[in-house]
Amino acid sequence: IASYLQDSESFDLSDDFLEDLLCAGIKGEEKLSIVKLMDLSTLINFPERAGLVGSILNSGDAEFSGIDAGVARSLIVNSDPISTQISLFNKYHATMSDDEVWGTLKALPKPYCEIKIGYYSPRLDNTSENVELVEWLKLREFISSWRTSFSSDYIKVNLYRK
């Protein structure tokens, strides 16, 4: 792996092969380096690969160019567990238009898909990822407000009515 990463241009390896390398039990830093060599724009067509890459990107602090709204949505929707999905959403929401954010929220499991215009108040677990989520949702005016419960077990999300 180290030899390949030092001179990757000498090898003509497909993203399919690089995906196999990612599953081969290599170190985290090497996985990030391999992801940098992949054509991330193709992740939209490969949900399993997007989930794999999403978990790797979530565990690393590296900045990646070439992650547009479509790629970000694919990473978010196809990753597991939900904490990874929300962490990736927090990381890449700025690449998305308002319509793309709404579409991504709609594609997430309950209670996240319940964040929409209406008369309901979704409740999210009180985690650092969810606090970050509601903070930027409020900043971008997707929700009217939010607050933690008296017991601090959950976050109550107040939606816009119209």
Side-chain angles (χ1 to χ4, degrees):
I1 298 294
S3 297
Y4 167 68
L5 292 174
Q6 287 177 348
D7 191 21
S8 61
E9 292 180 12
S10 296
F11 300 88
D12 186 22
L13 301 179
S14 70
D15 281 358
D16 292 335
F17 186 81
L18 294 177
E19 180 181 1
D20 290 340
L21 282 179
L22 292 175
C23 296
I26 58 176
K27 294 181 218 160
E29 289 178 21
E30 291 173 335
K31 285 183 179 185
L32 283 171
S33 296
I34 289 171
V35 168
K36 286 181 181 179
L37 298 171
M38 297 176 85
D39 180 4
L40 298 182
S41 68
T42 65
L43 293 178
I44 296 166
N45 301 318
F46 297 97
E48 288 181 20
R49 184 179 297 162
L52 175 63
V53 169
S55 65
I56 293 166
L57 292 180
N58 188 55
S59 64
D61 293 329
E63 291 295 321
F64 281 82
S65 60
I67 296 183
D68 61 15
V71 172
R73 184 181 192 283
S74 186
L75 291 169
I76 294 161
V77 170
N78 294 300
S79 294
D80 274 324
I82 190 64
S83 60
T84 298
Q85 289 179 300
I86 300 306
S87 179
L88 290 168
F89 204 6
N90 292 338
K91 193 180 271 192
Y92 297 117
H93 75 90
T95 66
M96 300 178 173
S97 69
D98 289 356
D99 287 340
E100 291 163 332
V101 169
W102 284 123
T104 303
L105 282 168
K106 190 176 183 179
L108 292 174
K110 284 186 175 187
Y112 303 96
C113 64
E114 297 171 329
I115 299 173
K116 54 188 173 187
I117 308 248
Y119 290 91
Y120 184 69
S121 293
R123 296 172 194 264
L124 311 177
D125 291 336
N126 190 359
T127 65
S128 59
E129 290 93 3
N130 286 339
V131 168
E132 186 177 346
L133 174 73
V134 294
E135 285 177 342
W136 69 257
L137 285 172
K138 171 64 179 132
L139 234 142
R140 289 187 62 178
E141 298 182 351
F142 286 95
I143 60 173
S144 65
S145 63
W146 65 275
R147 65 178 173 85
T148 55
S149 66
F150 179 71
S151 62
S152 296
D153 290 341
Y154 64 87
I155 299 167
K156 181 181 178 194
V157 180
N158 298 309
L159 308 175
Y160 285 114
R161 305 293 184 217
K162 293 184 184 184

